[in-house]
Amino acid sequence: VVFHGETIAAWREQGYHEQEEHAAFRSLLEAPQADAQMIMDSRFPVPRYIVCDQHKSEARFLMAKLNPSVTPNTDGGVGAQVFTDDVSLRVFMEHLMKLAVQS
């Protein structure tokens, strides 16, 4: 996942990276993509490659991996709901403790 914050995404959409005087900004955008390509070239199976902007639809992939604790199954969770197949650390630990006690 290559994530662009709100400001960086706005600058990219305004085309600053295409202007010669903003060559540093262009290299800032290209560096994580080059790093991701290098990682993907060395792994099998090839990982999923996602470029996302803050508050856009693809950002759910990042939120689902970083904070899977806020799901439709949590009661009163803080933050936006993220639909994910992953479970939170709390749910995992509760399940692990249940299994340990049964043994």
Side-chain angles (χ1 to χ4, degrees), residues 2 4 17 23-37 49:
V2 176
H4 297 124
H17 64 290
F25 179 61
R26 182 180 321 113
S27 64
L28 176 78
L29 289 176
E30 292 170 354
Q33 293 180 4
D35 290 345
Q37 187 62 48
Y49 177 71

Side-chain angles (χ1 to χ4, degrees), residues 37-97:
Q37 187 62 48
M38 184 177 62
I39 291 169
M40 290 188 317
D41 290 342
S42 66
R43 294 206 179 147
F44 182 80
V46 177
R48 186 181 223 177
Y49 177 71
I50 300 169
V51 178
C52 61
D53 297 338
Q54 187 172 4
H55 307 301
K56 299 289 173 118
S57 63
E58 292 87 8
R60 66 187 165 83
F61 291 103
L62 178 64
M63 292 300 297
K65 290 297 177 190
L66 291 181
N67 187 13
S69 60
V70 181
T71 66
N73 298 329
T74 58
D75 23 79
V78 179
Q81 276 193 354
V82 177
F83 297 101
T84 176
D85 293 333
D86 295 333
V87 296
S88 68
L89 179 61
R90 181 180 50 86
V91 171
F92 174 74
M93 292 301 290
E94 288 172 357
H95 183 69
L96 192 60
M97 286 187 280

